[in-house]
Amino acid sequence: QENAGRKTKDKGITILQGRSVGGTTTVNWTSSFETPPDTLKFWQTKFGLKDFTSETLAPYFQQAKARLNIHPWEVAPNENNELLRRGAAKMGIKAEVIPRNVKGCHNLGSCGMGCPTNAKQSMLVTTIPFALDHGATLLVETRVEKLTIEGGRITAMQCIPVKPNASPVNAAGPDTTIVAKHFVLAGGAINSPALLLRSKAPDPHKLLGTRTFLHPVSLSTAVMSNTVGAWAGAPQSIYSDHFMHTQPVDGPIGFKLEVAPLHPVFFGANLPGFGDKQAELFKQFPHANVMIALMRDGFHDQAVGGKVELREDGSPLLDYPLTDYVLEGARRSMLAMAQMQLDRKSVV
């Protein structure tokens, strides 16, 4: 989305989302987790979702695992992930193997740029072909601009053709109108409310686009004495939920620890400086290890999340304030990651 440059309103958070056939699943890093039991329990007690238990959802989780071939990664972790495993062991906390949605994976490390062998079981190679085999029609380079709402029902949707860079082919048209008995809106937590806002959908409680939650990510980069080569091998195969489950879900923000795979564009986009200064930092690229903490936002009274708005051109914009609650969690997570990396005799 937005050339990998989608950001929150204050530019404080970069939002990495796919914009392709298969969506973000074509460019994610394959980590596949079930909804944690403590999250389900929170939903039951806070929102009265009594049917959302591990037992009732087990068949659906199993169905997803079977279709997407989700299983713990059986290959030895690359050095980038191994640093997390060793760091966790040094601190005496638990680290586990990540389940991945892959089949016949060549362990190349290119998941974040689209799997070159289609081993990643994204929607591109699973759900979409299944739908096409059962009579679905796929429109590509097409964007839904507006839903037609009549008498409290969606009766049609207006689409426009777009170029590969997402700009309209012709601002004045031509349009495609799709009429159907039923519509399923599945454009994600940002694009879906944006479409409803553009369509002026009924919003009697003024909640449309509100309580939109990310998992804000903090990161800690260390330069190791040995070669890490974080671009090669399965991007994420080791994780730790120690700091997620050692406190109640509605307490201080918890976080999941993983590592980030590194490729030149991703590495360079997160380095400070320009020109000679950045070139000097790039010399350390083979030795870099980046740990990331995915913070569990949305469970505390102070966690109000973000709000989706529209720019003048109708495109979505997420206002996501970095509150003291989130920043306090970021500080704790950066301390934990730095301790792991320093324990590995790194030079930061």
Side-chain angles (χ1 to χ4, degrees):
Q1 295 285 351
E2 301 177 31
N3 301 307
R6 172 168 280 183
K7 296 181 182 293
T8 52
K9 189 173 183 177
D10 64 359
K11 308 296 190 290
I13 303 176
T14 297
I15 304 169
L16 296 176
Q17 278 186 297
R19 184 180 54 79
S20 61
V21 176
T24 305
T25 66
T26 61
V27 293
N28 66 5
W29 296 336
T30 75
S31 301
S32 305
F33 297 98
E34 293 184 17
T35 308
D38 53 359
T39 297
L40 294 174
K41 186 175 178 60
F42 179 82
W43 289 349
Q44 295 164 40
T45 56
K46 181 75 172 181
F47 302 112
L49 301 175
K50 302 301 182 184
D51 293 334
F52 280 51
T53 66
S54 296
E55 293 73 26
T56 56
L57 292 177
Y60 301 99
F61 287 143
Q62 188 54 44
Q63 182 187 58
K65 287 180 181 178
R67 172 172 285 184
L68 305 180
N69 206 54
I70 296 172
H71 56 276
W73 185 232
E74 297 173 347
V75 178
N78 63 8
E79 179 63 12
N80 200 33
N81 283 269
E82 180 65 17
L83 285 164
L84 174 57
R85 189 194 65 78
R86 294 201 302 264
K90 184 82 172 182
M91 292 179 66
I93 65 176
K94 188 176 182 181
E96 301 177 79
V97 176
I98 292 179
R100 304 181 66 225
N101 61 319
V102 294
K103 186 177 183 179
C105 177
H106 289 68
N107 204 29
L108 300 175
S110 300
C111 309
M113 296 175 286
C115 180
T117 64
N118 278 342
K120 178 166 57 176
Q121 300 300 284
S122 67
M123 302 302 101
L124 175 66
V125 298
T126 54
T127 301
I128 290 176
F130 177 85
L132 293 174
D133 289 343
H134 288 76
T137 299
L138 174 65
L139 302 182
V140 299
E141 296 184 7
T142 303
R143 182 167 66 220
V144 182
E145 284 291 280
K146 185 178 179 182
L147 301 171
T148 302
I149 304 174
E150 298 174 339
R153 294 185 67 253
I154 296 171
T155 58
M157 62 183 185
Q158 307 296 324
C159 309
I160 63 169
V162 294
K163 300 175 184 178
N165 67 356
S167 62
V169 171
N170 181 354
D175 294 340
T176 300
T177 299
I178 297 177
V179 178
K181 291 182 179 179
H182 304 285
F183 295 85
V184 176
L185 178 54
I190 296 175
N191 291 336
S192 289
L195 173 56
L196 293 173
L197 287 168
R198 287 198 301 271
S199 306
K200 295 181 169 47
D203 184 18
H205 303 291
K206 306 301 179 186
L207 293 176
L208 183 55
T210 65
R211 290 190 60 79
T212 300
F213 288 99
L214 306 174
H215 52 72
V217 175
S218 60
L219 57 87
S220 176
T221 302
V223 179
M224 303 297 179
S225 56
N226 59 306
T227 299
V228 177
W231 58 84
Q236 294 182 325
S237 57
I238 301 294
Y239 76 102
S240 176
D241 271 353
H242 173 80
F243 297 98
M244 185 82 75
H245 300 310
T246 50
Q247 58 225 359
V249 293
D250 56 352
I253 199 166
F255 50 89
K256 177 188 292 287
L257 293 179
E258 298 174 344
V259 297
L262 296 184
H263 295 277
V265 171
F266 181 80
F267 187 68
N270 290 281
L271 281 178
F274 301 92
D276 291 343
K277 180 179 180 181
Q278 191 171 88
E280 191 65 28
L281 289 172
F282 249 109
K283 293 179 182 179
Q284 302 171 334
F285 178 44
H287 297 268
N289 164 251
V290 176
M291 289 189 185
I292 58 176
L294 293 77
M295 288 178 276
R296 179 179 57 189
D297 202 5
F299 293 82
H300 193 275
D301 290 341
Q302 296 178 26
V304 297
K307 182 179 180 180
V308 176
E309 305 172 352
L310 295 179
R311 297 187 180 95
E312 290 184 0
D313 63 357
S315 62
L317 178 65
L318 178 62
D319 186 12
Y320 204 96
L322 290 173
T323 63
D324 290 341
Y325 176 75
V326 172
L327 292 174
E328 187 275 335
R331 285 189 286 270
R332 283 189 291 109
S333 68
M334 293 182 73
L335 174 62
M337 291 186 289
Q339 287 175 327
M340 285 187 173
Q341 291 168 321
L342 287 168
D343 279 342
R344 300 313 311 155
K345 295 182 173 62
S346 62
V347 181
V348 180

